[in-house]
Structure formats: structure tokens, C-alpha cells
Amino acid sequence: MSYTLLEIASMIAGYARPVVGPISLGLRAGEILGLGGPNGAGKSTILRAITGRAHVFSGRIVRSDGLTISHQWQRPELPPELALLGRELFSLTGARPGDAPAMMKPLLTMPLRHMSGGQYQLLHTFACMCSPCRLVLMDEPTNNLDGRALDALSALLKKLDPGRAVLLVSHEKAFLEKHCTRIVEVGS
Amino acid sequence: MSDWLLFDPMFRIPFLTGLVLTLALSLTGALLRMREEWLAALGLSQIAAVGAIAACPLGLPALTGAFGAAGLATALRTLLPRVDNSHHALLILVGWSGTLIVGSYIDHGATIGESLLRGQLYFTRGAHLAGAATLLALLLSLFPWLSPRLLTARFFPDHHQANRVPTWPYRTVFALLAMAATVLGTVSIGAFPTFAMLFAPSWAGFVLANGWRRSLVVSCAIGLVAYTAAFALAMIVDLPFGPVLVAMLAMVGGLRFLPGISSIIATTKWSQSRE
């Protein structure tokens, strides 16, 4: 039987001033919850409120005991001239390079400075998905991904461990509808 | 000076002090570059120079003044919610102007200020060597703990926060190590040579090597080659050590632009992608 990993109750969150809310939602183990809505609705701010990066003005976020979180950022900035190899970045989230999808293997031996923005985004996304964290926050993971990469991401989402959950932000309604067990529209 | 002075016991402690500092500064510089904070090194070294020169009229050792000023700047940096290179540029301006202004008010201030900016390695003593060795020992022993935390914070900025892992221990330890390296470097080899040693080895090393550990080893090797060559050249040709070291590091750093090196990098990329 699935159990609640995260519960957000009447939360208003933002930075210098409120950006989103009040919003309430619950996330159970095994679920992929989609967050949709127009640009600027505050979808990314919800993810950042969960990680503690954004300020919660009112309401509350309740986490299950010992909940671990990985957060794939929207448009992660490709650092210039870093000698790190893909597998070194991949393992920073606790992910094991052996768990990476086959199409990602060439990236694991490539230095970051040789990667394109899309390859780096792919590496970042899969580092979070393959981490042992029980809650994965994904912010527009389909940006810059080609067809093969999207298929690999879809395959990972389809075989999600029942003890884990994903909170998925995307402006691509078709992708949300294909993979999410529920969709919450933000700012509607 | 002539070449036989290279082997004079009088220069053993200065040479060893510089050698140990080279390793510590190259390693610290790699971490600063990874965090895109390399300009902080110049800001801190300039501030340390102000502290060292201001300590003179107060009857305090230069090292104490340098640590005090750099410690204050580090504490202010830590208190700011976000620090970027504009803040570091401000430190450089304050440090440079402060060194010259404070220096103009004290006896021999101009000479002391000049020596702090360009270095006085030949006058280092056992205390400098002991400080540098302690710093390197701390840096090497803490590195396996520090490096993965700093890397995670760089690539997954809210990973620790999201998992309720306190960030202040590793941020504080790194800030203190960077400050200590900069201060010891400034009072031993000078503010600008210290900055050059923090900047140039990893600038070249990050392009010449694939993989984090390899890039650290290559950065340290580049620093050691540049330092040893500069020390020997300054002795043999009788030139001031600080400027020779900076010139040597600039040359070594510039290797990354040579066509031959570029082809090596291209080959490395090709072989990596085939693995």
C-alpha cells in the first residue's frame, strides 16, 4: 500500500514576494505527479520551496521521515572548461553509473567541457532520476532532449520504483498526460 | 646572484616554503576555479596585503595583520547571500588602494607595500615553512571530505539543502583554507604571485586533463614546474623572484593556446568518446 511522501498545505511561496499559491497537494509513493500551467505560474518555485531554496510565506510542507530528494534544475548551466567526466557528475547524486541507460554510456566517459547543452541537460536529468533519492523533482526535463533521449526518460519513468515518486514540471501537456498519474494545473 | 646559490643552505627554507605553498595554492586554485570564484583569490591577497602593512605601526607581526584583514573579508563574504566576481573586484580595489594609502603613512611603507605585492620569498623563515606545511597537510587530509561536497553544491545547488544536510561546515572549512592559503602566500611569495599561482595552473590544467582527479594532478604539476623554473631562473639571472614566477605562470598558462596542445586535446576527446 502506498504512503504519503510529501504533503503541501495551503502554501504560498516565492522569493522577495509571493510568486505562487495558495496551493495544496499530496504526493504518494509510486506516483508521478505532473505540474502544468502557463509560463510564470510558479511551477519551478513550488519545487524550490520543497528543497528550501524558495521562501514559504504561509502554509506548510510536510515530508515523510527521512525523505531524500534530488532536484533536476531547469536549464542547468554548462560550466565552462571543467575537466569533470560525465560519470563523476553522475555519481554526485548517489547514482551508480551502471544504472545509466545504454544511450547515456558515451556521456559518462566524456569531459563536461566537450558536451553540448543538450547532452549536459541529459546527464543532469538522468543523474537525478537514477539517484537513490525517494522523491525526484524534475523541472522541464524534456527541454533540449532529442527523440532517443525522450524515449530513455520515458522508459525510466515507466519503471519507477513503487517506493519512489516524481514531481514533474513540464509545459508539454502530451508528455505530462503520457506519464503522470495525476496532473495539477498551477495558476489556473 | 649566481647559479651556485641555488644550492646554498640559506635558500633551502625559502625554496621548500615556496614548493609547499605551490602545491597548496594550485590545489586551492582548482577548487576556486571549479566554484568560479578564482577572482576572489586576488581580492583576498590584496586585502591580506593591507592587513600586513597596517600591522606594522601597531607593532603586530605582518602575518597577524594579514590573517585579521583576510579573515574579516572572508567573514563578510560568508554573510552575503550571494557572492559573485563583482564583490571580488571590490575587494581588489579596496586592497590595492588600501595598501598604497596605508603604506604612505608609515615609515618605509612604500617598500613594505611593494615587497608584499611582489613577494619576499628569500626572507621566509622556519615559521613560514611550518605554516605552509600545516596548511598543505590540512588541505590534503580534508580534501576527500571537502571535494565531493563542493562539487555537489556546484552542480546540484540545492541538493544538500533539500536533504537537510548542513552546508555551513564545508563552506566554512573551504573559506578558511582558501583564506589561509592566500594569506600565507601573500606574506611569503607576494600578493600577485599568489594570485597567479591560484589562477594559472588550473586554468591550463582543466583543459589539458580529462577527469577531476587528473586535472588536479596536472594543475599541481604545472604549478611545480613553473615554480621550480622561476626559482632557478631568478637565481641564475639575478632577477626578482615574484615577477619571474608570475611571468613563468603566465607562459605555462598560455600553453593551452598552442596549436600542438589543441591537437592533443582533440585526440584525447576522440579517444574518450570511443571508450
Side-chain angles (χ1 to χ4, degrees), chain A residues 78-174:
Chain A
L78 179 61
E81 295 189 344
L82 259 189
L84 225 69
L85 296 174
R87 67 165 176 269
E88 291 173 315
L89 182 137
F90 195 74
S91 54
L92 288 174
T93 58
R96 289 180 305 184
D99 293 340
M103 56 89 59
M104 260 204 63
K105 301 287 184 193
L107 292 185
L108 297 180
T109 53
M110 190 186 282
L112 299 189
R113 65 172 184 272
H114 293 159
M115 289 183 190
S116 67
Q119 287 174 317
Y120 183 63
Q121 157 112 11
L122 182 66
L123 182 71
H124 223 264
T125 302
F126 283 94
C128 292
M129 265 313 282
C130 296
S131 77
C133 295
R134 286 163 64 210
L135 173 59
V136 183
L137 309 176
M138 309 193 83
D139 200 348
E140 301 288 2
T142 57
N143 282 359
N144 301 318
L145 298 194
D146 60 21
R148 280 181 66 220
L150 279 174
D151 289 345
L153 178 60
S154 292
L156 271 184
L157 287 170
K158 278 177 187 163
K159 60 176 186 183
L160 184 74
D161 185 289
R164 303 177 75 200
V166 175
L167 188 51
L168 175 59
V169 166
S170 179
H171 65 275
E172 288 191 30
K173 206 164 184 179

Side-chain angles (χ1 to χ4, degrees), chain B residues 21-111:
Chain B
L21 274 174
T22 292
L23 283 173
L25 291 171
S26 300
L27 215 47
T28 308
L31 290 174
L32 285 168
R33 175 167 296 280
M34 182 271 288
R35 289 167 60 83
E36 294 188 34
E37 290 182 341
W38 54 267
L39 199 56
L42 184 56
L44 275 179
S45 62
Q46 296 281 346
I47 291 289
V50 181
I53 201 166
C56 296
L58 300 173
L60 295 169
L63 197 61
T64 306
F67 265 114
L72 187 63
T74 300
L76 287 173
R77 277 182 70 224
T78 312
L79 288 175
L80 290 173
R82 186 173 163 274
V83 180
D84 58 29
N85 280 337
S86 301
H87 298 93
H88 303 143
L90 190 66
L91 284 182
I92 295 166
L93 300 180
V94 171
W96 181 80
S97 56
T99 304
L100 296 180
I101 291 170
V102 175
S104 69
Y105 276 100
I106 62 171
D107 290 341
H108 311 297
T111 311

Side-chain angles (χ1 to χ4, degrees), chain A residues 51-53 63 68-69 71 73 79-85 88-89 92-93 109 111-114 120 124, chain B residues 34 36 148 151-152 154-159 161-164 206-207 209-212 215 256 269 272 275:
Chain A
T51 66
R53 199 78 167 182
R63 302 159 55 134
T68 48
I69 298 174
H71 180 198
W73 283 52
E81 295 189 344
L82 259 189
L84 225 69
L85 296 174
E88 291 173 315
L89 182 137
L92 288 174
T93 58
T109 53
L112 299 189
R113 65 172 184 272
H114 293 159
Y120 183 63
H124 223 264
Chain B
M34 182 271 288
E36 294 188 34
L151 284 168
T152 304
R154 170 72 180 83
F155 293 103
F156 301 94
D158 53 358
H159 188 79
Q161 203 173 0
N163 291 290
R164 295 179 173 166
F206 279 17
V207 169
N210 289 336
W212 177 236
S215 69
R256 51 181 272 143
K269 180 184 177 183
Q272 285 292 327
E275 276 180 25

